[in-house]
Structure formats: C-alpha cells, structure tokens
Amino acid sequence: MPSAQSLLSAITLLAIAPSSWAVKASEARPAPSFSEEGVPSYLTRIISSPLAWIASDIDKETVWEAASKRLAERSGRTAMPSVSRTFKIPLNSEDTSGTVDIKLHEPSLTGDNLGHKTWVASYLLAKRLPTLLPRLFPGIKTSTETHNLDLTPYTKYPTKISQVNHQHPITPPTNTTPRPHILELGAGTGLVGLAASALFATTTHLTDLPYILPNLQHNVSQNAPLTAPHSTVTAGPLDWSLHHHHHHHHHRNDEDDIRKEEDTDPDSLYDLILAADSLYAPQHPEWIVNVMGSLLKWDEQRRARVVIELPFRSEEPPEHEELRGRMRERGFVVVEEGEEVGFDDWEDLSAEGGQLEVRCWWCVWRWG
C-alpha cells in the first residue's frame, strides 16, 4: 500500500494551476502530462477510503484534505479553494517582454461573493493602462521614470508593509506633473487599480462593499513593494446605493451646481474613475452613474475621464444600453470605445476544456 508521503506526492501532481490568462489561450493553461479521465474517481476513492494502513491520523487528514482540494479544482471555479495567482501586466503595449507582476489572493467563492474573483474584463483593462493613461494624462510619470529620480528626500516608507492604508506620499519636485487621483469602483481583488499604481505615479483609491474589503486590503498590502516608491494606494468601502438619492435629478449641465459641489470637498473628487465588470444587478447602471457623476472632477477643459470595461453576457446586453443612456442623461459623452476578446476560467470553461472566450466592450467618457 502506498505511504502517506507517496500518496501526497501523487495528489500534488494532479493540482490544476490557477490560470492568469496569459496572452494566448494556448499558453494560459499547459496540457497536463496525464489523462484527466479517471482522475475524479481516483480522488473520490481516496476521500472515501478509511486509509487503514496509514498509522497517523494527522497524515490521513492531510491526504483527505489534499484529495478534496484536487477534486474541488475539477468542479468549476465556484467549488475551487482559495487561490493566489500572478497577473503579468506589460509595461509597454509594443514590447510585452517587460511586465509588472501583480500577485492577487482570491478566497473561495461562496454564495454571491463575486468580488472575490478576478474577472477577465479587469485583466483586459489593466493591460490597456500603459497605452491609455499617457494619452489621458500627458506627462504622467511611469514607475521606471520615478525610480530614476532621486526620491530619497521626499519619500516616507511605511514602517510595516502590512499597514492597510499605504499612505507614504512623495512631495514631488515643483516642476513635475501632479499625480492623477484615481478611483476604482467595484475593485474586487484590486487588479485594475493596483496595475495603475504599479505602472505610473498615481494616488489611487480602491473601493468595494465592506465584505470584499479584507481581501482587497490584503492584496494592496501584498503588492506594496510594487506601488510604494511612487504611488499612494488606499482601499475603503463605497456603497453605490447610498449615492442613489444624491443628485437624483441633477444634470452636469448646470455649472453653478457643479462649482458648488466642487467647493464642498474638492479633495474627494477624481481625475479618473475606473470600473471593470461591475454591473451585476438591474439597479447597478443607475447607481454607478450617480456615483461617477458625484465623484468625477469637472473643469473648463473637461480633462477628467471615466473608463469602463464590461463583458458581453448576451448578444445585446441590456445593461450596456442602460449604462449608455444614463451616462448621456447625466451629461457624459463618449471619447473613444471598442471591443476586444479575452479568456476567462469561470465555471467549467469551454466545451473543449480550454478557457472560455469572453467578448468585452470598453469605453472612455468625459463631461460633455
């Protein structure tokens, strides 16, 4: 009979590595060097076996637990145990060899905690940032440029990497471009906001519902070495439904109202608002547009931007049309938009057992 150690070695070989959606589907998930056929029943037999020949109860528990994890990995993403995976974001869209590697923890998905998974729209939007942000904010400093400046006198590093709010501001030399203030709505695991802060010198605030926050804050802390030298990253709760009643009939065309609103607290307004795959309920388009309308800066040059990326969950998703309509009503206009395809690992993947192809719509908006 196999020892506990040899059983564990065999079970470890059956682990399915979490995907990080590399550029091509073929690269994203290497074919296992064994046939999947028979693996679920092999694992089930181990789990149901008393393992009587193994003396140690602790060893038995370890084997059962390992086999259960391997079985869960084969039961679709909802049954998978918590995973940590690394997302490679190219520093430069032309040359994809240099990357910022963002490591994210995703807890097990339970109930409707969809914010605990990194969705493909977030990955696609994160990969567009190296091209998009310099266009939106000419003169924005990349992280490599800021590394070349002598930042020593201006930098306050955190005493503990685990500090949740990584506020270690750099006082920039007077001739530099100010860092854009960025807000991510429905940040989930934090990929988009963290990518922005790792690639460029920014002040970024990642938000989501309170029950998503502990994991989001963990991911902010875990990636502090990538963002700390040049960016300020914070995470906090934001419930869109609370903005539901504010400015209900307020259109941005009324400039006096806008100025009044800016006067109240200009520091809480943002140059850029990011949102990826953030519409899950019928009321979300209305709520998110109210939040964007309340929190996006307004100036004569209309420089502030909203960038949204959403998957097509059907051929003509009603939530896309509703969002467009509400954005227009609120006084926003489209600057540019497009479609692209990415690969996701949701549920049982595609029929061939590869990754599921997902079409996404992205759109950049400004005040009209």
Side-chain angles (χ1 to χ4, degrees), residues 298-336:
W298 189 95
D299 64 15
E300 298 289 350
Q301 292 82 30
R302 320 282 205 275
R303 280 177 300 206
R305 295 287 185 269
V306 167
V307 182
I308 298 168
E309 179 127 11
L310 298 172
F312 283 84
R313 292 208 171 86
S314 58
E315 209 35 58
E316 290 183 18
E319 67 273 18
H320 291 198
E321 276 320 297
E322 189 185 345
L323 183 84
R324 269 185 197 280
R326 288 187 180 276
M327 289 292 274
R328 282 195 210 102
E329 267 173 42
R330 192 65 197 250
F332 288 107
V333 295
V334 172
V335 179
E336 53 177 325

mmCIF file of all heavy atoms in Angstrom, residues 298-336:
data_model
loop_
_atom_site.group_PDB
_atom_site.id
_atom_site.type_symbol
_atom_site.label_atom_id
_atom_site.label_comp_id
_atom_site.label_asym_id
_atom_site.label_seq_id
_atom_site.Cartn_x
_atom_site.Cartn_y
_atom_site.Cartn_z
ATOM 1 N N TRP A 298 -14.735 68.205 -12.391
ATOM 2 C CA TRP A 298 -15.200 68.965 -13.551
ATOM 3 C C TRP A 298 -14.308 70.184 -13.678
ATOM 4 O O TRP A 298 -14.050 70.894 -12.713
ATOM 5 C CB TRP A 298 -16.651 69.401 -13.341
ATOM 6 C CG TRP A 298 -17.273 69.992 -14.570
ATOM 7 C CD1 TRP A 298 -18.024 69.340 -15.489
ATOM 8 C CD2 TRP A 298 -17.174 71.343 -15.026
ATOM 9 N NE1 TRP A 298 -18.403 70.190 -16.490
ATOM 10 C CE2 TRP A 298 -17.895 71.439 -16.234
ATOM 11 C CE3 TRP A 298 -16.547 72.489 -14.545
ATOM 12 C CZ2 TRP A 298 -18.011 72.615 -16.963
ATOM 13 C CZ3 TRP A 298 -16.655 73.672 -15.257
ATOM 14 C CH2 TRP A 298 -17.390 73.726 -16.459
ATOM 15 N N ASP A 299 -13.778 70.448 -14.883
ATOM 16 C CA ASP A 299 -13.090 71.718 -15.110
ATOM 17 C C ASP A 299 -13.407 72.191 -16.522
ATOM 18 O O ASP A 299 -13.995 71.445 -17.311
ATOM 19 C CB ASP A 299 -11.574 71.605 -14.861
ATOM 20 C CG ASP A 299 -10.888 70.665 -15.830
ATOM 21 O OD1 ASP A 299 -11.498 70.304 -16.870
ATOM 22 O OD2 ASP A 299 -9.734 70.279 -15.574
ATOM 23 N N GLU A 300 -13.018 73.425 -16.831
ATOM 24 C CA GLU A 300 -13.367 74.012 -18.137
ATOM 25 C C GLU A 300 -12.859 73.156 -19.293
ATOM 26 O O GLU A 300 -13.481 73.079 -20.347
ATOM 27 C CB GLU A 300 -12.777 75.431 -18.265
ATOM 28 C CG GLU A 300 -13.298 76.432 -17.244
ATOM 29 C CD GLU A 300 -14.747 76.844 -17.494
ATOM 30 O OE1 GLU A 300 -15.293 76.512 -18.569
ATOM 31 O OE2 GLU A 300 -15.337 77.481 -16.595
ATOM 32 N N GLN A 301 -11.701 72.514 -19.101
ATOM 33 C CA GLN A 301 -11.109 71.728 -20.202
ATOM 34 C C GLN A 301 -11.701 70.318 -20.306
ATOM 35 O O GLN A 301 -11.339 69.574 -21.217
ATOM 36 C CB GLN A 301 -9.587 71.597 -20.026
ATOM 37 C CG GLN A 301 -8.822 72.890 -20.195
ATOM 38 C CD GLN A 301 -8.848 73.728 -18.918
ATOM 39 O OE1 GLN A 301 -8.928 73.185 -17.812
ATOM 40 N NE2 GLN A 301 -8.821 75.041 -19.066
ATOM 41 N N ARG A 302 -12.579 69.972 -19.372
ATOM 42 C CA ARG A 302 -13.177 68.612 -19.354
ATOM 43 C C ARG A 302 -12.082 67.535 -19.415
ATOM 44 O O ARG A 302 -12.116 66.626 -20.228
ATOM 45 C CB ARG A 302 -14.133 68.388 -20.533
ATOM 46 C CG ARG A 302 -15.019 69.553 -20.895
ATOM 47 C CD ARG A 302 -16.188 69.652 -19.916
ATOM 48 N NE ARG A 302 -17.331 70.320 -20.490
ATOM 49 C CZ ARG A 302 -17.497 71.646 -20.510
ATOM 50 N NH1 ARG A 302 -16.559 72.442 -20.040
ATOM 51 N NH2 ARG A 302 -18.605 72.173 -21.012
ATOM 52 N N ARG A 303 -11.073 67.647 -18.544
ATOM 53 C CA ARG A 303 -9.933 66.711 -18.626
ATOM 54 C C ARG A 303 -10.213 65.380 -17.933
ATOM 55 O O ARG A 303 -9.578 64.381 -18.257
ATOM 56 C CB ARG A 303 -8.691 67.359 -18.002
ATOM 57 C CG ARG A 303 -8.000 68.327 -18.941
ATOM 58 C CD ARG A 303 -6.827 69.000 -18.265
ATOM 59 N NE ARG A 303 -7.273 69.745 -17.077
ATOM 60 C CZ ARG A 303 -6.629 70.791 -16.575
ATOM 61 N NH1 ARG A 303 -5.520 71.211 -17.137
ATOM 62 N NH2 ARG A 303 -7.084 71.412 -15.506
ATOM 63 N N ALA A 304 -11.090 65.369 -16.941
ATOM 64 C CA ALA A 304 -11.309 64.134 -16.177
ATOM 65 C C ALA A 304 -11.993 63.081 -17.051
ATOM 66 O O ALA A 304 -12.720 63.407 -17.983
ATOM 67 C CB ALA A 304 -12.157 64.431 -14.947
ATOM 68 N N ARG A 305 -11.737 61.814 -16.754
ATOM 69 C CA ARG A 305 -12.257 60.720 -17.580
ATOM 70 C C ARG A 305 -12.834 59.593 -16.720
ATOM 71 O O ARG A 305 -12.418 59.382 -15.582
ATOM 72 C CB ARG A 305 -11.133 60.104 -18.436
ATOM 73 C CG ARG A 305 -10.529 61.046 -19.484
ATOM 74 C CD ARG A 305 -11.488 61.273 -20.639
ATOM 75 N NE ARG A 305 -10.924 62.065 -21.716
ATOM 76 C CZ ARG A 305 -10.999 63.388 -21.808
ATOM 77 N NH1 ARG A 305 -11.600 64.094 -20.862
ATOM 78 N NH2 ARG A 305 -10.465 64.029 -22.846
ATOM 79 N N VAL A 306 -13.784 58.880 -17.333
ATOM 80 C CA VAL A 306 -14.300 57.625 -16.776
ATOM 81 C C VAL A 306 -13.943 56.539 -17.784
ATOM 82 O O VAL A 306 -14.140 56.724 -18.990
ATOM 83 C CB VAL A 306 -15.845 57.681 -16.622
ATOM 84 C CG1 VAL A 306 -16.406 56.285 -16.362
ATOM 85 C CG2 VAL A 306 -16.250 58.636 -15.502
ATOM 86 N N VAL A 307 -13.394 55.421 -17.322
ATOM 87 C CA VAL A 307 -13.087 54.300 -18.219
ATOM 88 C C VAL A 307 -13.794 53.055 -17.685
ATOM 89 O O VAL A 307 -13.608 52.672 -16.525
ATOM 90 C CB VAL A 307 -11.571 54.039 -18.331
ATOM 91 C CG1 VAL A 307 -11.305 52.892 -19.305
ATOM 92 C CG2 VAL A 307 -10.844 55.303 -18.792
ATOM 93 N N ILE A 308 -14.623 52.467 -18.545
ATOM 94 C CA ILE A 308 -15.441 51.311 -18.146
ATOM 95 C C ILE A 308 -15.125 50.151 -19.085
ATOM 96 O O ILE A 308 -14.953 50.360 -20.295
ATOM 97 C CB ILE A 308 -16.940 51.663 -18.255
ATOM 98 C CG1 ILE A 308 -17.304 52.816 -17.308
ATOM 99 C CG2 ILE A 308 -17.822 50.449 -17.954
ATOM 100 C CD1 ILE A 308 -18.675 53.406 -17.549
ATOM 101 N N GLU A 309 -15.047 48.928 -18.547
ATOM 102 C CA GLU A 309 -14.927 47.737 -19.407
ATOM 103 C C GLU A 309 -15.936 46.700 -18.908
ATOM 104 O O GLU A 309 -15.958 46.380 -17.721
ATOM 105 C CB GLU A 309 -13.507 47.172 -19.372
ATOM 106 C CG GLU A 309 -13.341 45.933 -20.224
ATOM 107 C CD GLU A 309 -12.187 45.991 -21.230
ATOM 108 O OE1 GLU A 309 -11.355 46.903 -21.163
ATOM 109 O OE2 GLU A 309 -12.137 45.092 -22.088
ATOM 110 N N LEU A 310 -16.767 46.215 -19.836
ATOM 111 C CA LEU A 310 -17.841 45.279 -19.462
ATOM 112 C C LEU A 310 -17.861 44.095 -20.418
ATOM 113 O O LEU A 310 -17.671 44.270 -21.621
ATOM 114 C CB LEU A 310 -19.208 45.973 -19.537
ATOM 115 C CG LEU A 310 -19.455 47.172 -18.612
ATOM 116 C CD1 LEU A 310 -20.770 47.840 -18.981
ATOM 117 C CD2 LEU A 310 -19.470 46.732 -17.153
ATOM 118 N N PRO A 311 -18.135 42.885 -19.902
ATOM 119 C CA PRO A 311 -18.255 41.726 -20.789
ATOM 120 C C PRO A 311 -19.624 41.691 -21.462
ATOM 121 O O PRO A 311 -20.585 42.276 -20.948
ATOM 122 C CB PRO A 311 -18.117 40.545 -19.829
ATOM 123 C CG PRO A 311 -18.684 41.053 -18.548
ATOM 124 C CD PRO A 311 -18.373 42.523 -18.494
ATOM 125 N N PHE A 312 -19.701 41.015 -22.593
ATOM 126 C CA PHE A 312 -20.999 40.740 -23.218
ATOM 127 C C PHE A 312 -21.522 39.455 -22.600
ATOM 128 O O PHE A 312 -21.003 38.382 -22.877
ATOM 129 C CB PHE A 312 -20.839 40.552 -24.734
ATOM 130 C CG PHE A 312 -20.671 41.836 -25.489
ATOM 131 C CD1 PHE A 312 -19.423 42.430 -25.607
ATOM 132 C CD2 PHE A 312 -21.758 42.458 -26.085
ATOM 133 C CE1 PHE A 312 -19.256 43.617 -26.296
ATOM 134 C CE2 PHE A 312 -21.607 43.649 -26.791
ATOM 135 C CZ PHE A 312 -20.356 44.225 -26.891
ATOM 136 N N ARG A 313 -22.552 39.569 -21.755
ATOM 137 C CA ARG A 313 -23.126 38.338 -21.180
ATOM 138 C C ARG A 313 -24.212 37.789 -22.100
ATOM 139 O O ARG A 313 -24.711 36.698 -21.896
ATOM 140 C CB ARG A 313 -23.703 38.634 -19.792
ATOM 141 C CG ARG A 313 -22.607 38.955 -18.798
ATOM 142 C CD ARG A 313 -22.988 38.584 -17.378
ATOM 143 N NE ARG A 313 -21.805 38.717 -16.538
ATOM 144 C CZ ARG A 313 -21.431 39.856 -15.978
ATOM 145 N NH1 ARG A 313 -22.153 40.938 -16.148
ATOM 146 N NH2 ARG A 313 -20.338 39.914 -15.245
ATOM 147 N N SER A 314 -24.584 38.599 -23.095
ATOM 148 C CA SER A 314 -25.530 38.137 -24.118
ATOM 149 C C SER A 314 -25.172 38.923 -25.376
ATOM 150 O O SER A 314 -24.274 39.767 -25.349
ATOM 151 C CB SER A 314 -26.973 38.442 -23.684
ATOM 152 O OG SER A 314 -27.128 39.828 -23.453
ATOM 153 N N GLU A 315 -25.855 38.650 -26.478
ATOM 154 C CA GLU A 315 -25.515 39.298 -27.749
ATOM 155 C C GLU A 315 -25.672 40.816 -27.645
ATOM 156 O O GLU A 315 -24.829 41.570 -28.100
ATOM 157 C CB GLU A 315 -26.421 38.724 -28.860
ATOM 158 C CG GLU A 315 -25.814 38.712 -30.243
ATOM 159 C CD GLU A 315 -24.299 38.444 -30.293
ATOM 160 O OE1 GLU A 315 -23.826 37.404 -29.815
ATOM 161 O OE2 GLU A 315 -23.590 39.322 -30.818
ATOM 162 N N GLU A 316 -26.786 41.270 -27.052
ATOM 163 C CA GLU A 316 -27.000 42.716 -26.857
ATOM 164 C C GLU A 316 -27.370 42.955 -25.399
ATOM 165 O O GLU A 316 -28.547 43.025 -25.049
ATOM 166 C CB GLU A 316 -28.115 43.211 -27.782
ATOM 167 C CG GLU A 316 -27.696 43.220 -29.234
ATOM 168 C CD GLU A 316 -28.788 43.788 -30.134
ATOM 169 O OE1 GLU A 316 -29.694 44.469 -29.615
ATOM 170 O OE2 GLU A 316 -28.723 43.539 -31.345
ATOM 171 N N PRO A 317 -26.369 43.071 -24.531
ATOM 172 C CA PRO A 317 -26.673 43.127 -23.091
ATOM 173 C C PRO A 317 -27.476 44.378 -22.738
ATOM 174 O O PRO A 317 -27.065 45.488 -23.078
ATOM 175 C CB PRO A 317 -25.282 43.172 -22.436
ATOM 176 C CG PRO A 317 -24.317 42.822 -23.515
ATOM 177 C CD PRO A 317 -24.952 43.216 -24.804
ATOM 178 N N PRO A 318 -28.617 44.212 -22.083
ATOM 179 C CA PRO A 318 -29.442 45.371 -21.719
ATOM 180 C C PRO A 318 -28.699 46.330 -20.797
ATOM 181 O O PRO A 318 -28.893 47.538 -20.874
ATOM 182 C CB PRO A 318 -30.659 44.750 -21.017
ATOM 183 C CG PRO A 318 -30.252 43.353 -20.663
ATOM 184 C CD PRO A 318 -29.218 42.941 -21.653
ATOM 185 N N GLU A 319 -27.792 45.788 -19.948
ATOM 186 C CA GLU A 319 -27.106 46.689 -19.002
ATOM 187 C C GLU A 319 -26.155 47.638 -19.726
ATOM 188 O O GLU A 319 -25.927 48.756 -19.282
ATOM 189 C CB GLU A 319 -26.388 45.889 -17.896
ATOM 190 C CG GLU A 319 -25.218 45.040 -18.335
ATOM 191 C CD GLU A 319 -25.600 43.630 -18.798
ATOM 192 O OE1 GLU A 319 -26.783 43.382 -19.101
ATOM 193 O OE2 GLU A 319 -24.683 42.790 -18.867
ATOM 194 N N HIS A 320 -25.605 47.219 -20.888
ATOM 195 C CA HIS A 320 -24.736 48.127 -21.650
ATOM 196 C C HIS A 320 -25.550 49.317 -22.160
ATOM 197 O O HIS A 320 -25.128 50.467 -22.055
ATOM 198 C CB HIS A 320 -24.117 47.418 -22.873
ATOM 199 C CG HIS A 320 -23.109 46.367 -22.514
ATOM 200 N ND1 HIS A 320 -22.195 45.890 -23.425
ATOM 201 C CD2 HIS A 320 -22.875 45.689 -21.367
ATOM 202 C CE1 HIS A 320 -21.438 44.953 -22.851
ATOM 203 N NE2 HIS A 320 -21.844 44.822 -21.603
ATOM 204 N N GLU A 321 -26.720 49.013 -22.730
ATOM 205 C CA GLU A 321 -27.553 50.076 -23.295
ATOM 206 C C GLU A 321 -28.054 51.016 -22.206
ATOM 207 O O GLU A 321 -28.082 52.233 -22.377
ATOM 208 C CB GLU A 321 -28.747 49.479 -24.060
ATOM 209 C CG GLU A 321 -28.409 49.085 -25.488
ATOM 210 C CD GLU A 321 -27.491 50.109 -26.186
ATOM 211 O OE1 GLU A 321 -27.929 51.267 -26.359
ATOM 212 O OE2 GLU A 321 -26.353 49.763 -26.542
ATOM 213 N N GLU A 322 -28.439 50.419 -21.065
ATOM 214 C CA GLU A 322 -28.940 51.274 -19.987
ATOM 215 C C GLU A 322 -27.834 52.184 -19.468
ATOM 216 O O GLU A 322 -28.046 53.372 -19.204
ATOM 217 C CB GLU A 322 -29.510 50.433 -18.832
ATOM 218 C CG GLU A 322 -30.209 51.342 -17.835
ATOM 219 C CD GLU A 322 -30.706 50.632 -16.579
ATOM 220 O OE1 GLU A 322 -30.777 49.383 -16.564
ATOM 221 O OE2 GLU A 322 -31.018 51.353 -15.612
ATOM 222 N N LEU A 323 -26.624 51.636 -19.351
ATOM 223 C CA LEU A 323 -25.499 52.446 -18.886
ATOM 224 C C LEU A 323 -25.241 53.604 -19.852
ATOM 225 O O LEU A 323 -25.092 54.755 -19.438
ATOM 226 C CB LEU A 323 -24.239 51.582 -18.761
ATOM 227 C CG LEU A 323 -23.037 52.349 -18.212
ATOM 228 C CD1 LEU A 323 -23.054 52.386 -16.688
ATOM 229 C CD2 LEU A 323 -21.731 51.757 -18.685
ATOM 230 N N ARG A 324 -25.222 53.308 -21.150
ATOM 231 C CA ARG A 324 -25.007 54.360 -22.163
ATOM 232 C C ARG A 324 -26.037 55.480 -22.005
ATOM 233 O O ARG A 324 -25.701 56.661 -21.990
ATOM 234 C CB ARG A 324 -25.195 53.781 -23.573
ATOM 235 C CG ARG A 324 -23.948 53.260 -24.214
ATOM 236 C CD ARG A 324 -24.318 52.838 -25.652
ATOM 237 N NE ARG A 324 -23.327 51.974 -26.238
ATOM 238 C CZ ARG A 324 -22.185 52.431 -26.776
ATOM 239 N NH1 ARG A 324 -21.920 53.719 -26.800
ATOM 240 N NH2 ARG A 324 -21.319 51.580 -27.291
ATOM 241 N N GLY A 325 -27.314 55.066 -21.907
ATOM 242 C CA GLY A 325 -28.394 56.043 -21.802
ATOM 243 C C GLY A 325 -28.251 56.913 -20.564
ATOM 244 O O GLY A 325 -28.381 58.139 -20.625
ATOM 245 N N ARG A 326 -27.949 56.273 -19.433
ATOM 246 C CA ARG A 326 -27.850 57.029 -18.179
ATOM 247 C C ARG A 326 -26.615 57.937 -18.168
ATOM 248 O O ARG A 326 -26.647 59.029 -17.600
ATOM 249 C CB ARG A 326 -27.838 56.078 -16.984
ATOM 250 C CG ARG A 326 -29.206 55.449 -16.750
ATOM 251 C CD ARG A 326 -29.239 54.637 -15.474
ATOM 252 N NE ARG A 326 -30.553 54.034 -15.271
ATOM 253 C CZ ARG A 326 -31.591 54.660 -14.715
ATOM 254 N NH1 ARG A 326 -31.473 55.912 -14.329
ATOM 255 N NH2 ARG A 326 -32.746 54.035 -14.562
ATOM 256 N N MET A 327 -25.518 57.472 -18.776
ATOM 257 C CA MET A 327 -24.310 58.317 -18.851
ATOM 258 C C MET A 327 -24.620 59.576 -19.675
ATOM 259 O O MET A 327 -24.252 60.687 -19.295
ATOM 260 C CB MET A 327 -23.141 57.547 -19.477
ATOM 261 C CG MET A 327 -22.555 56.449 -18.608
ATOM 262 S SD MET A 327 -21.683 57.029 -17.125
ATOM 263 C CE MET A 327 -20.045 57.355 -17.749
ATOM 264 N N ARG A 328 -25.319 59.404 -20.799
ATOM 265 C CA ARG A 328 -25.669 60.563 -21.634
ATOM 266 C C ARG A 328 -26.579 61.530 -20.872
ATOM 267 O O ARG A 328 -26.374 62.733 -20.880
ATOM 268 C CB ARG A 328 -26.380 60.104 -22.911
ATOM 269 C CG ARG A 328 -25.421 59.565 -23.956
ATOM 270 C CD ARG A 328 -26.110 59.472 -25.322
ATOM 271 N NE ARG A 328 -25.530 58.384 -26.093
ATOM 272 C CZ ARG A 328 -26.088 57.197 -26.256
ATOM 273 N NH1 ARG A 328 -27.280 56.932 -25.736
ATOM 274 N NH2 ARG A 328 -25.488 56.261 -26.953
ATOM 275 N N GLU A 329 -27.601 60.942 -20.207
ATOM 276 C CA GLU A 329 -28.525 61.772 -19.419
ATOM 277 C C GLU A 329 -27.784 62.592 -18.381
ATOM 278 O O GLU A 329 -28.149 63.726 -18.090
ATOM 279 C CB GLU A 329 -29.502 60.868 -18.643
ATOM 280 C CG GLU A 329 -30.799 60.572 -19.343
ATOM 281 C CD GLU A 329 -31.588 59.533 -18.535
ATOM 282 O OE1 GLU A 329 -31.622 59.645 -17.293
ATOM 283 O OE2 GLU A 329 -32.147 58.606 -19.152
ATOM 284 N N ARG A 330 -26.758 62.001 -17.815
ATOM 285 C CA ARG A 330 -26.030 62.656 -16.732
ATOM 286 C C ARG A 330 -25.062 63.731 -17.260
ATOM 287 O O ARG A 330 -24.455 64.458 -16.489
ATOM 288 C CB ARG A 330 -25.269 61.586 -15.930
ATOM 289 C CG ARG A 330 -24.687 62.047 -14.624
ATOM 290 C CD ARG A 330 -25.771 62.426 -13.643
ATOM 291 N NE ARG A 330 -25.226 63.234 -12.575
ATOM 292 C CZ ARG A 330 -25.091 62.826 -11.319
ATOM 293 N NH1 ARG A 330 -25.491 61.636 -10.967
ATOM 294 N NH2 ARG A 330 -24.593 63.626 -10.419
ATOM 295 N N GLY A 331 -24.896 63.773 -18.597
ATOM 296 C CA GLY A 331 -24.040 64.809 -19.170
ATOM 297 C C GLY A 331 -22.680 64.324 -19.629
ATOM 298 O O GLY A 331 -21.790 65.116 -19.915
ATOM 299 N N PHE A 332 -22.492 62.990 -19.711
ATOM 300 C CA PHE A 332 -21.223 62.436 -20.191
ATOM 301 C C PHE A 332 -21.281 62.216 -21.704
ATOM 302 O O PHE A 332 -22.352 61.932 -22.249
ATOM 303 C CB PHE A 332 -20.949 61.082 -19.529
ATOM 304 C CG PHE A 332 -20.580 61.169 -18.070
ATOM 305 C CD1 PHE A 332 -21.479 60.776 -17.083
ATOM 306 C CD2 PHE A 332 -19.334 61.623 -17.679
ATOM 307 C CE1 PHE A 332 -21.143 60.842 -15.732
ATOM 308 C CE2 PHE A 332 -18.982 61.691 -16.335
ATOM 309 C CZ PHE A 332 -19.893 61.302 -15.359
ATOM 310 N N VAL A 333 -20.116 62.327 -22.369
ATOM 311 C CA VAL A 333 -20.031 61.977 -23.793
ATOM 312 C C VAL A 333 -18.901 60.968 -23.997
ATOM 313 O O VAL A 333 -17.934 60.944 -23.230
ATOM 314 C CB VAL A 333 -19.797 63.217 -24.699
ATOM 315 C CG1 VAL A 333 -20.982 64.157 -24.656
ATOM 316 C CG2 VAL A 333 -18.515 63.946 -24.304
ATOM 317 N N VAL A 334 -19.032 60.133 -25.041
ATOM 318 C CA VAL A 334 -18.026 59.109 -25.344
ATOM 319 C C VAL A 334 -16.830 59.761 -26.034
ATOM 320 O O VAL A 334 -16.987 60.515 -26.988
ATOM 321 C CB VAL A 334 -18.625 58.020 -26.265
ATOM 322 C CG1 VAL A 334 -17.536 57.060 -26.737
ATOM 323 C CG2 VAL A 334 -19.730 57.261 -25.544
ATOM 324 N N VAL A 335 -15.627 59.464 -25.551
ATOM 325 C CA VAL A 335 -14.396 59.946 -26.179
ATOM 326 C C VAL A 335 -13.894 58.885 -27.159
ATOM 327 O O VAL A 335 -13.549 59.171 -28.292
ATOM 328 C CB VAL A 335 -13.304 60.223 -25.112
ATOM 329 C CG1 VAL A 335 -12.018 60.702 -25.774
ATOM 330 C CG2 VAL A 335 -13.801 61.220 -24.090
ATOM 331 N N GLU A 336 -13.849 57.630 -26.727
ATOM 332 C CA GLU A 336 -13.463 56.515 -27.614
ATOM 333 C C GLU A 336 -14.018 55.233 -27.018
ATOM 334 O O GLU A 336 -14.298 55.147 -25.819
ATOM 335 C CB GLU A 336 -11.939 56.435 -27.790
ATOM 336 C CG GLU A 336 -11.156 56.387 -26.490
ATOM 337 C CD GLU A 336 -9.646 56.242 -26.701
ATOM 338 O OE1 GLU A 336 -9.237 55.560 -27.654
ATOM 339 O OE2 GLU A 336 -8.890 56.808 -25.897
#
